[in-house]
Amino acid sequence: MQVENYDFVVVGGGIFGCYAALHLAGRGAKVAILEKEARLFQKASLVNQARLHSGYHYPRSVATAAMSDEHKTRFTEEHRAFVNHTFEKFYAIDRYGSFTDGPQFERFCGFLNIPCERVYDHKLFNFNRLEALYRTEEHSFDPVLLGNYYREKVENTSGITVFKNAQIQQASAQGNAWAIDLLVSGSKFQVSSDPLKVSSSESALETFNSPPSIYHLKLETNTVINATYAATNATNHVFGVNHLALTHEISEIAFVRSKQFGQRGLTVMDGPFGSIMPYGLSGLLSLSSVAYTHHKISFDAMPRFDCQMPETDPACRPEAPGICTDCARRPVSNAPKMMAQMQQYFEDSVQFTHLFSYYTIKSKLKASHIDDGRPTEISLLRESPRFFCLFAGKINSIYEVEKIG
Ligand SMILES: Cc1cc2nc3c(=O)[nH]c(=O)nc-3n(C[C@H](O)[C@H](O)[C@H](O)COP(=O)(O)OP(=O)(O)OC[C@H]3O[C@@H](n4cnc5c(N)ncnc54)[C@H](O)[C@@H]3O)c2cc1C
């Protein structure tokens, strides 16, 4: 079997895996990205609400709020072409059942020093349901454009090799190195410093003439970075390191349009409410609701759901979750319920039309039940050979991976 050596092996090709690989390659390291699917950026990094968090969302977790705000400026500057910063964004407090109220929310924003201007009257909103409405400053990133950018970047950066359709068959610690047995379908492309020169683990003839093939490979590395989000514990398990305490939910993001609301955003705080806002620069609004976005929940270490049928469809198992949007057994959309819930905060003249929905597994630290926090955690779970587990809370916290050296 062919053996290849890398300084770092990053498991998972979402935004965190891609950013980690680019950061390390930029410092001269030779990096491999292993991605289970045929394409990078198909899961949480694509299916999310695209909120470029500024802190407002976490009145119960000052730590998450402060971390969002800390990274916002840098993320916006470095991804300017993929950020929608031109829309009006409102936060509101529901008059009934909220964990916060107007004065508390204002104090919280004051503490974080983030702008929040009280709006007493507005023709689009129903003040019978809203205790308070605030004009805030929150932007959204475009997950589709971000995906295109990062895919292009990792696949064209010298020092990074991307293995797609990659299955880790086995991993073992041998001295101070990991040995990883990999099964890959398709060709492996590694772009050298000369962008016209493509090298492949297969012969040049095979690469250009043959249909996708399946091949085995052994990778050796001193450092593995697990950036697989919903598959975090499955990957930890393969490498024989501890699990994180996680829960998993099959989640729906509904895409809607409204002639009357246009390209604005409203997030209702703090509890079982909802949010609607521009999905980056797409012209669509993404809609989510604490009560209806999450269809099924798994309290197992790995995401185990009754829709998985590993015997007939091995592409989605608790040990290797698949792409929910593409799955015939995805849940029936809750968009009508989400729209009905949000409708209560608007005047009757404002109407929403549902176009389609995306689904994915959302994983959370069990501890987040206490304060609804979404920290990004990087844990060194084994020192020699090294194994980092990177569990991502928010997209704009990608810079946390720079702590890995
Ligand atoms: C419904 C929802 C809404 C959200 N809203 C927001 C928001 O508004 N703003 C925000 O900042 N954040 C939001 N988040 C959180 C954010 O999307 C995630 O924190 C972030 O996308 C995680 O990125 P990632 O690269 O770690 O994971 P992913 O993008 O899921 O990437 C993990 C990759 O690992 C691959 N993989 C899995 N197992 C293996 C394996 N064994 N071998 C190889 N590859 C494997 C997967 O196929 C996938 O490509 C939301 C998340 C969800 C689910």
Side-chain angles (χ1 to χ4, degrees):
M1 196 191 301
Q2 188 174 329
V3 180
E4 296 190 6
N5 284 283
Y6 291 90
D7 299 315
F8 293 86
V9 169
V10 179
V11 190
I15 192 168
F16 278 81
C18 291
Y19 189 80
L22 288 166
H23 170 68
L24 294 164
R27 294 166 61 175
K30 186 179 171 200
V31 187
I33 297 179
L34 315 185
E35 170 53 51
K36 168 185 178 279
E37 308 294 346
R39 201 169 143 82
L40 305 176
F41 246 84
Q42 292 301 289
K43 294 186 181 159
S45 298
L46 174 72
V47 186
N48 59 69
Q49 190 144 41
R51 184 190 312 276
L52 184 35
H53 282 270
S54 314
Y56 298 103
H57 210 60
Y58 296 105
R60 279 178 283 146
S61 177
V62 173
T64 304
M67 190 191 270
S68 314
D69 196 35
E70 180 190 331
H71 293 302
K72 184 189 72 176
T73 310
R74 179 171 172 201
F75 189 92
T76 307
E77 271 166 17
E78 293 181 5
H79 300 86
R80 196 161 282 284
F82 322 122
V83 172
N84 183 347
H85 46 82
T86 58
F87 65 95
E88 232 183 338
K89 181 65 207 281
F90 297 94
Y91 268 75
I93 313 296
D94 192 312
R95 204 173 273 285
Y96 308 104
S98 178
F99 295 126
T100 191
D101 59 18
Q104 208 173 18
F105 188 69
E106 286 168 34
R107 248 194 336 271
F108 166 75
C109 293
F111 177 73
L112 286 180
N113 206 14
I114 48 180
C116 126
E117 175 205 338
R118 180 92 186 242
V119 178
Y120 289 95
D121 189 27
H122 198 292
K123 66 175 189 309
L124 294 175
F125 300 104
N126 172 12
F127 285 85
N128 293 326
R129 277 305 302 265
L130 298 180
E131 179 209 314
L133 179 73
Y134 298 95
R135 187 172 281 109
T136 59
E137 215 174 86
E138 189 176 68
H139 307 145
S140 84
F141 52 83
D142 191 312
V144 175
L145 297 181
L146 272 181
N148 293 344
Y149 170 77
Y150 276 102
R151 263 193 298 273
E152 218 271 321
K153 212 143 176 187
V154 293
E155 288 174 3
N156 291 288
T157 292
S158 128
I160 299 180
T161 306
V162 182
F163 297 91
K164 290 180 264 187
N165 288 313
Q167 284 176 42
I168 300 175
Q169 305 239 284
Q170 196 181 315
S172 57
Q174 297 180 0
N176 63 356
W178 290 109
I180 302 167
D181 290 348
L182 205 60
L183 183 67
V184 186
S185 345
S187 308
K188 179 197 70 162
F189 291 96
Q190 178 179 23
V191 175
S192 70
S193 42
D194 174 356
L196 293 175
K197 200 175 140 219
V198 178
S199 70
S200 167
S201 63
E202 298 157 293
S203 75
L205 198 65
E206 277 171 337
T207 302
F208 291 110
N209 293 336
S210 67
S213 56
I214 294 183
Y215 61 97
H216 283 271
L217 206 61
K218 182 175 268 186
L219 306 187
E220 288 181 350
T221 185
N222 295 126
T223 307
V224 166
I225 299 173
N226 175 6
T228 56
Y229 189 61
T232 294
N233 284 331
T235 306
N236 282 6
H237 182 75
V238 171
F239 285 86
V241 300
N242 289 340
H243 289 169
L244 304 190
L246 299 178
T247 59
H248 313 276
E249 296 161 337
I250 296 188
S251 306
E252 174 182 2
I253 296 287
F255 292 94
V256 302
R257 273 210 175 107
S258 165
K259 217 158 93 181
Q260 300 79 19
F261 194 47
Q263 283 289 294
R264 294 185 175 87
L266 173 71
T267 299
V268 183
M269 301 298 291
D270 175 16
F273 309 119
S275 185
I276 192 159
M277 60 189 286
Y279 183 69
L281 298 155
S282 67
L284 300 172
L285 300 172
S286 66
L287 167 61
S288 76
S289 141
V290 174
Y292 300 117
T293 283
H294 310 300
H295 286 260
K296 293 169 192 261
I297 183 157
S298 164
F299 293 99
D300 280 17
M302 295 179 207
R304 186 178 304 281
F305 296 103
D306 59 6
C307 48
Q308 289 163 329
M309 296 191 171
E311 308 77 33
T312 49
D313 182 6
C316 182
R317 296 169 281 129
E319 305 76 31
I323 300 175
C324 301
T325 305
D326 295 350
C327 179
R329 296 181 302 280
R330 66 183 179 271
V332 174
S333 173
N334 272 344
K337 292 179 183 163
M338 293 190 220
M339 288 196 293
Q341 184 192 30
M342 285 307 277
Q343 192 68 53
Q344 302 174 77
Y345 305 115
F346 291 92
E347 286 296 335
D348 291 344
S349 56
V350 181
Q351 293 295 317
F352 295 93
T353 310
H354 177 225
L355 303 171
F356 61 93
S357 292
Y358 278 173
Y359 299 81
T360 197
I361 297 171
K362 181 172 200 168
S363 299
K364 297 193 271 198
L365 293 167
K366 279 191 175 149
S368 73
H369 279 296
I370 300 164
D371 61 3
D372 199 35
R374 297 282 185 279
T376 290
E377 294 207 340
I378 299 175
S379 333
L380 178 60
L381 296 184
R382 184 170 171 144
E383 285 194 24
S384 179
R386 291 197 305 170
F387 184 95
F388 287 98
C389 180
L390 195 172
F391 185 73
K394 290 289 143 221
I395 294 239
N396 57 349
S397 59
I398 48 173
Y399 304 112
E400 293 290 305
V401 308
E402 293 174 2
K403 291 176 181 161
I404 299 175

